[in-house]
Amino acid sequence: MWKKMTTLAVVLLLAVGCASDPSAGEDTEEKPTTKEKVTEMLEKMFSGPDEALTKLFDQSDHEGLVNYYEEQFGGYMTDERMEDAMNTNLFTSFHQKAYSNDVKMDIKKLDVEESGDAEGAYDFDIQINISNGETAGIKGRVNTDEEGNVTRVHFSDGQPLLHAFDKPEEIEEGLYQYDSSMAEAVAGDEAYQPMYPTIMPYEVDGVQVDSESKQQEENLTFTFYGEKGEKLELTTVKDGEIAYEETETEEAMVGDQTARYAGKEGGEQRLIWTNGSITYEWKGKVEGMSKEDMIKMAESFE
């Protein structure tokens, strides 16, 4: 009898032990998929700013802001990409702009789909409501590594979001104040950061960047889109030159730098100059834009 009872006790203990083993249960917490992580990150980027972030902006608490963004976004990115994101204002540019204009962002629609042409890439299309009554769209791509960590965030197809917060100031007829933070954000992953214009001949609706490597040169081409279809291209070359020998040009001055100008008002115009190790070229056809306007824009770079 004792032997039978002992055997039964052992069986019961084994059964209890198996039931208490977390690995044996079916309710173990599942890790979020890479798509879910990307979606969560984008939701945080394009919402708010929340009460905690607003307080940090109010207090100009730089250390607190760094800690806030590391806590909010560090879990989605590689350490290297997180450092780059902070240095290029990838997150703060949208929240800071909303805060400065006393408005909030609220996501109306967010679509994230795995790309069919690149492994670990996710394309996103977001519609955002601004509390001032404006609605803005933004599209782009997020790249991830094998572990699902974000390695790159790239914006494309026009980004009117920053300009939905307020209207750019017209500093004189045909020239508008331009906030270059979007250009800085889209170039955050590139080999270098050039200077950017703070004056434009139209209200900029979006900007995209394309990069190209030629031997020891790194070329970046920015396209600035206007609300009415305007377009200007800015090409920058670090430690290299931009050819113009086959184009009829005239000498011009951009500050104390000698420049080359080609074209005329009403047609395509081109302005080339060098500042430090980077050579710049403005190129495009914009109604009403003069040679003097191009020079003023070039002199506004910072």
Side-chain angles (χ1 to χ4, degrees):
M1 180 66 177
W2 175 253
K3 184 177 181 181
K4 290 182 179 180
M5 290 180 64
T6 303
T7 303
L8 179 60
V10 171
V11 171
L12 288 172
L13 286 171
L14 288 172
V16 171
C18 291
S20 62
D21 184 357
S23 64
E26 295 182 359
D27 296 329
T28 54
E29 185 177 350
E30 293 185 3
K31 292 183 179 180
T33 65
T34 301
K35 180 179 178 179
E36 289 171 340
K37 289 175 63 176
V38 168
T39 301
E40 288 176 5
M41 183 193 70
L42 293 171
E43 287 173 344
K44 292 181 179 181
M45 284 182 67
F46 298 107
S47 298
D50 61 21
E51 184 177 345
L53 185 54
T54 298
K55 185 176 181 180
L56 293 171
F57 281 135
D58 285 340
Q59 298 172 344
S60 299
D61 185 351
H62 177 72
E63 183 177 353
L65 287 168
V66 171
N67 292 335
Y68 174 91
Y69 282 109
E70 287 182 345
E71 181 180 339
Q72 291 291 315
F73 295 95
Y76 300 110
M77 298 188 158
T78 62
D79 292 341
E80 181 180 4
R81 184 63 190 101
M82 185 63 197
E83 183 178 355
D84 289 341
M86 294 301 296
N87 290 336
T88 58
N89 300 318
L90 176 65
F91 310 122
T92 58
S93 57
F94 304 105
H95 290 147
Q96 177 70 56
K97 190 72 171 178
Y99 167 79
S100 299
N101 289 279
D102 196 25
V103 296
K104 303 286 187 184
M105 296 181 290
D106 181 54
I107 293 178
K108 178 181 179 181
K109 184 186 74 170
L110 171 57
D111 293 327
V112 178
E113 298 295 337
E114 190 168 1
S115 170
D117 58 16
E119 186 176 354
Y122 294 83
D123 296 321
F124 62 84
D125 184 354
I126 310 175
Q127 289 294 317
I128 302 164
N129 287 333
I130 313 297
S131 58
N132 61 5
E134 295 285 334
T135 299
I138 188 165
K139 297 180 181 180
R141 172 172 288 189
V142 175
N143 295 93
T144 63
D145 62 16
E146 294 178 353
E147 298 179 354
N149 296 313
V150 173
T151 58
R152 185 174 189 242
V153 181
H154 179 72
F155 304 112
S156 62
D157 293 342
Q159 304 95 43
L161 177 56
L162 286 177
H163 309 288
F165 298 130
D166 63 358
K167 292 293 183 181
E169 177 186 358
E170 187 172 15
I171 56 176
E172 60 181 270
E173 186 176 359
L175 293 177
Y176 297 84
Q177 198 72 37
Y178 175 63
D179 180 350
S180 64
S181 54
M182 178 58 80
E184 294 174 10
V186 299
D189 292 326
E190 304 299 343
Y192 63 93
Q193 279 276 0
M195 295 193 297
Y196 301 98
T198 58
I199 296 175
M200 289 292 289
Y202 48 81
E203 298 180 23
V204 176
D205 188 39
V207 57
Q208 70 179 51
V209 61
D210 295 303
S211 60
E212 181 181 6
S213 297
K214 294 181 178 180
Q215 296 179 351
Q216 300 301 317
E217 297 179 2
E218 291 287 345
N219 296 11
L220 301 179
T221 298
F222 298 82
T223 305
F224 296 84
Y225 297 97
E227 294 183 339
K228 299 179 180 179
E230 304 97 334
K231 184 174 73 172
L232 270 177
E233 286 188 358
L234 171 66
T235 297
T236 68
V237 180
K238 185 175 177 61
D239 299 322
E241 299 179 349
I242 295 177
Y244 59 84
E245 288 78 5
E246 297 181 1
T247 304
E248 185 177 346
T249 65
E250 60 183 85
E251 187 174 296
M253 296 298 295
V254 174
D256 57 359
Q257 301 286 334
T258 301
R260 304 303 304 183
Y261 170 81
K264 61 181 180 180
E265 184 173 341
E268 182 166 286
Q269 300 178 71
R270 185 181 183 193
L271 183 67
I272 303 170
W273 75 101
T274 300
N275 191 316
S277 63
I278 301 177
T279 298
Y280 298 82
E281 178 191 37
W282 265 129
K283 184 170 66 175
K285 178 181 178 181
V286 177
E287 183 178 356
M289 183 178 69
S290 65
K291 170 185 174 182
E292 290 71 24
D293 291 336
M294 294 197 79
I295 292 174
K296 286 181 182 178
M297 289 186 289
E299 291 178 335
S300 78
F301 275 52
E302 59 181 41

